Amino acid sequence: MLEFLGRSIVIGVGATAMLDLWALLLNRVLGLPLSNWAMVGRWFAHLPRGRFAHDPISASEPVSGELAIGWVMHYLVGILFAAVLLLIWGVGWARTPTLMPALIVGIVTVGCGWFVLQPGMGFGLAASKRPNPGQIRLVGLVNHVVFGLGLYLTALLTR
């Protein structure tokens, strides 16, 4: 159990950090905006208060420490996704990682953004209420592929 938890944390943090570096690269090279982790933190902070949906999240009551909450939740979700990978393929996968399971988890988890986070923040299913939903979907999919690569590379580096 300790190996499972330790590997979930290390692999999840490594993959999430790789995703963040990728986002910085996209921001610097293509001018794509960085994620607003304060709004994500606000969304998560409203969940225990019984509020799932916002219209939009920016109009909802601000929460103290929402930026920190957003960053912490971003990394905790990355750890959770790494744990899901290890639950499905086993801790042995982390000892001898292969690319396909990591890519599958990376690609499948984009659904959490499209079908949970974006609707909850008032952006519609798969950002359908945003002015550029196609771009948001494409960037989200590519980002999750990068996250999947991060799962694989972190496991490879720490096996």
Side-chain angles (χ1 to χ4, degrees):
M1 183 56 132
L2 284 177
E3 181 182 10
F4 172 82
L5 289 173
R7 288 186 183 272
S8 294
I9 292 167
V10 169
I11 293 169
V13 167
T16 306
M18 184 168 164
L19 173 62
D20 290 337
L21 291 172
W22 172 252
L24 280 171
L25 179 71
L26 291 179
N27 175 260
R28 299 271 159 74
V29 173
L30 300 177
L32 293 180
L34 295 170
S35 294
N36 186 342
W37 296 115
M39 294 300 101
V40 173
R42 184 178 297 180
W43 183 78
F44 272 106
H46 278 276
L47 289 176
R49 301 169 183 177
R51 185 139 186 227
F52 172 81
H54 302 262
D55 194 28
I57 188 68
S58 60
S60 293
E61 181 183 339
V63 176
S64 178
E66 60 190 24
L67 178 60
I69 294 167
W71 275 104
V72 167
M73 293 310 297
H74 173 53
Y75 275 81
L76 285 177
V77 168
I79 292 166
L80 175 66
F81 290 161
V84 167
L85 187 152
L86 296 178
L87 280 172
I88 295 170
W89 279 275
V91 175
W93 174 87
R95 293 183 205 119
T96 56
T98 55
L99 181 59
M100 197 52 64
L103 285 180
I104 289 169
V105 169
I107 292 168
V108 168
T109 58
V110 76
C112 292
W114 288 353
F115 305 119
V116 177
L117 185 62
Q118 290 170 0
M121 292 179 70
F123 303 152
L125 285 174
S128 61
K129 292 183 179 179
R130 303 298 285 178
N132 55 341
Q135 178 186 359
I136 292 170
R137 291 173 193 148
L138 178 61
V139 169
L141 182 59
V142 171
N143 286 350
H144 278 257
V145 168
V146 169
F147 177 77
L149 288 170
L151 291 169
Y152 171 68
L153 292 173
T154 304
L156 199 60
L157 290 170
T158 59
R159 60 188 168 161

